[in-house]
Amino acid sequence: MNQSSTTPFTGITLALSKGRIFGETLPLLARAGIVPLVDPDSSRQLILPTSRPDVRLVIVRASDVPTYVQRGAADLGVAGLDVLLEQGGEGLYQPVDLRIARCRLMVAVSQGFDYEGAIGRGARLRVATKYAKLAREHFAAKGVHVDLIKLYGSMELAPLTGLADAIVDLVSSGNTLRANALEAVENIAEISSRLVVNGAAWKLYRERLAPVVEAIAQGVKETFGEEVP
Ligand SMILES: Nc1ncnc2c1ncn2[C@@H]1O[C@H](COP(=O)(O)OP(=O)(O)OP(=O)(O)O)[C@@H](O)[C@H]1O
Ligand SMILES: O=P(O)(O)OC[C@H]1O[C@H](OP(=O)(O)OP(=O)(O)O)[C@H](O)[C@@H]1O
């Protein structure tokens, strides 16, 4: 229960990423009585104590959240469904759709590119994405042959520079596509962030974890209403 670095921490550790997910998770955590005592944007500290001595936050890359929870370094985590689908989410229980960081995983091309025509001709499409597995599955299901080009960010640049014919990326407001003269042509998945729990820990320590999971689920209902999105 002590949060000093010299004493082993015996409480609940929640992994989440800085930026969008941190910002949107904060109000849900606050409703559950969990308020970080350190601001990750102004501190280099990666383990953040909270107003609840038995709960701490660890700040990791968005795509590293599943690994921390799968391996038990964190009890709970907040991860985008895009990350969970891409990585498989093996061994993770996903009890709560937090309904934050909502966006869509989409196929996009340069405005004016004849996507349907290219597919109809059986052309081999060059597709740039950070979501190689999801993109491969999407195009395989459509029977479209693709050369996948793995990128780690700024996917929108790929069609503009001739690196790729299409991208698979997240779209929310559509501003990034518009600003780069791209257009969405297919929706692959509706994305939001999920609360994830180590499946084995959930079975073993359910009594300890369930109150926090339930408090966060209640925070989601109070924030967004009861209806399923
Ligand atoms: N434009 C967006 N609108 C809403 N949600 C988004 C948007 N972009 C990403 N997300 C969601 O937020 C999550 C975290 O995105 P963020 O940009 O903070 O990290 P990242 O840079 O994609 O991850 P990493 O640091 O691991 O490369 C994504 O996995 C996705 O679920
Ligand atoms: O439709 P919009 O509202 O414009 O959002 C879409 C953008 O958001 C995400 O990038 P993000 O802002 O997370 O930047 P990063 O992944 O490059 O850090 C995504 O990769 C798009 O580039």
Side-chain angles (χ1 to χ4, degrees):
M1 297 295 165
N2 185 315
Q3 300 206 25
S4 87
S5 52
T6 48
T7 313
F9 182 70
T10 56
I12 294 171
T13 299
L14 170 69
L16 75 179
S17 54
K18 264 196 206 182
R20 178 179 285 120
I21 287 192
F22 189 85
E24 295 193 33
T25 305
L26 271 191
L28 303 178
L29 293 179
R31 282 179 180 271
I34 301 164
V35 179
L37 301 179
V38 175
D39 174 4
D41 286 331
S42 57
S43 164
R44 300 290 296 166
Q45 219 174 302
L46 297 173
I47 299 182
L48 312 183
T50 75
S51 51
R52 276 184 55 165
D54 62 330
V55 179
R56 67 178 183 176
L57 310 181
V58 293
I59 303 299
V60 305
R61 287 284 295 264
S63 46
D64 289 337
V65 167
T67 305
Y68 273 81
V69 182
Q70 279 161 332
R71 292 179 170 264
D75 304 290
L76 307 173
V78 176
L81 183 60
D82 51 323
V83 170
L84 294 168
L85 292 175
E86 179 67 19
Q87 295 187 11
E90 203 181 313
L92 294 177
Y93 172 51
Q94 300 176 29
V96 188
D97 178 351
L98 297 171
R99 295 161 69 179
I100 59 163
R102 292 176 75 167
C103 52
R104 289 177 166 163
L105 184 69
M106 304 194 86
V107 181
V109 297
S110 289
Q111 287 168 10
F113 178 80
D114 182 9
Y115 178 69
E116 291 303 333
I119 286 180
R121 286 195 306 278
R124 196 173 180 92
L125 280 185
R126 295 166 305 149
V127 178
T129 187
K130 142 170 148 178
Y131 301 98
K133 171 175 171 268
L134 294 174
R136 188 175 297 111
E137 287 171 359
H138 173 74
F139 289 107
K142 285 172 64 76
V144 174
H145 296 290
V146 291
D147 284 332
L148 284 176
I149 301 163
K150 170 81 182 176
L151 292 179
Y152 296 89
S154 301
M155 264 73 77
E156 292 86 357
L157 194 56
L160 306 182
T161 53
L163 179 65
D165 304 306
I167 60 170
V168 169
D169 195 13
L170 300 174
V171 180
S172 174
S173 64
N175 287 341
T176 311
L177 291 185
R178 273 189 293 279
N180 292 290
L182 302 175
E183 61 183 353
V185 287
E186 265 166 3
N187 186 14
I188 300 179
E190 299 289 329
I191 303 298
S192 58
S193 292
R194 310 298 159 113
L195 185 66
V196 295
V197 188
N198 178 293
W202 183 248
K203 285 190 189 121
L204 283 171
Y205 311 115
R206 191 171 181 151
E207 273 171 31
R208 193 164 69 89
L209 298 176
V212 173
V213 170
E214 278 158 21
I216 294 172
Q218 187 57 30
V220 173
K221 281 185 194 155
E222 287 169 13
T223 305
F224 299 111
E226 293 279 349
E227 78 282 2
V228 177

